[in-house]
Amino acid sequence: AQSVTQLGSHVSVSEGALVLLRCNYSSSVPPYLFWYVQYPNQGLQLLLKYTTGATLVKGINGFEAEFKKSETSFHLTKPSAHMSDAAEYFCAVSEGNKLVFGAGTILRVKS
Amino acid sequence: SQTIHQWPATLVQPVGSPLSLECTVEGTSNPNLYWYRQAAGRGLQLLFYSVGIGQISSEVPQNLSASRPQDRQFILSSKKLLLSDSGFYLCAWSSRIRNQPQHFGDGTRLSIL
């Protein structure tokens, strides 16, 4: 069975600083990977997805993620944090008809 | 384009009362449908998913049930709510093609008194 580990339940960065949210996966087959963002009292919004092909995936809101098979990682980055990026972020791996989600990382952006 | 609707947005119910949450999808046919719950500090928990009308898979045994009376309608129900049923309930849909992303509704905040 697939699994996802998100390192750090809380991450705090200053406005304008680099955002790095870590995700490691375990999969017995080539993985399909996703990052979602959730703002308070809202549903999850798809940020980006990795299926096959290019290992650097660009998403919405300036986020991108790099698939590294050797490290079984799919870390999410953004060069410069904005106050509006404060939210909870979920990494997920596909398992057939279902998604296996990580526990989530709450991103705090300090002014 | 596809849209997903959930209602109500918030709900306050007494212990022991029934529950019905509804989710509908527009702009797509034959979607896979999902119900999740988020309880404080417990992440996303998949409750039910459906790959077709009348086909329901239960992931967690509990006093909730789900039904899919129409292709794009998914209903979450309970006959008697427990305090532990409090949480944020999310509906999602995906394409029938495997390994596709899921798309979420805005959720229902359920508080049990």
Side-chain angles (χ1 to χ4, degrees):
Chain A
Q2 274 74 286
S3 66
V4 173
T5 301
Q6 290 184 240
L7 297 175
S9 59
H10 292 77
V11 170
S12 184
V13 301
S14 298
E15 193 173 17
L18 172 71
V19 175
L20 172 60
L21 303 181
R22 299 178 187 274
C23 172
N24 289 88
Y25 69 90
S26 171
S27 177
S28 57
V29 297
Y32 290 76
L33 296 158
F34 310 89
W35 273 101
Y36 286 85
V37 60
Q38 185 180 30
Y39 299 100
N41 293 311
Q42 294 186 26
L44 277 68
Q45 180 183 7
L46 181 67
L47 275 176
L48 49 82
K49 61 181 179 181
Y50 169 78
T51 53
T52 58
T55 57
L56 184 62
V57 180
K58 294 187 183 300
I60 62 172
N61 301 341
F63 284 94
E64 60 183 35
E66 186 172 10
F67 171 66
K68 291 187 177 181
K69 183 178 179 181
S70 61
E71 298 178 8
T72 61
S73 69
F74 191 56
H75 301 333
L76 182 71
T77 60
K78 182 174 180 177
S80 177
H82 192 272
M83 296 298 289
S84 60
D85 295 326
E88 188 163 16
Y89 292 80
F90 293 91
C91 181
V93 63
S94 177
E95 188 173 67
N97 287 322
K98 298 184 287 186
L99 292 180
V100 177
F101 285 90
T105 297
I106 294 173
L107 175 66
R108 178 187 171 212
V109 181
K110 299 176 290 185
S111 59
Chain B
S1 64
Q2 302 90 358
T3 56
I4 179 168
H5 302 281
Q6 269 188 259
W7 65 93
T10 59
L11 190 59
V12 181
Q13 293 284 95
V15 170
S17 64
L19 173 73
S20 180
L21 301 180
E22 189 164 341
C23 170
T24 59
V25 180
E26 296 177 357
T28 186
S29 297
N30 304 314
N32 291 335
L33 295 171
Y34 307 83
W35 278 112
Y36 289 86
R37 177 170 62 200
Q38 277 184 303
R42 296 191 63 183
L44 275 164
Q45 182 183 35
L46 178 63
L47 301 175
F48 302 94
Y49 73 95
S50 170
V51 299
I53 295 174
Q55 300 179 59
I56 309 295
S57 296
S58 175
E59 294 292 299
V60 183
Q62 54 205 329
N63 70 322
L64 298 172
S65 63
S67 61
R68 185 171 177 173
Q70 300 180 43
D71 180 48
R72 291 171 290 176
Q73 184 184 29
F74 205 23
I75 297 172
L76 183 69
S77 304
S78 174
K79 293 182 179 178
K80 283 188 176 182
L81 286 167
L82 307 173
L83 281 174
S84 58
D85 292 323
S86 292
F88 191 51
Y89 288 80
L90 290 161
C91 181
W93 74 271
S94 74
S95 161
R96 286 281 185 91
I97 302 170
R98 292 170 69 85
N99 301 314
Q100 295 301 300
Q102 293 175 14
H103 306 278
F104 287 79
D106 290 332
T108 295
R109 175 74 59 192
L110 175 63
S111 300
I112 310 298
L113 303 179

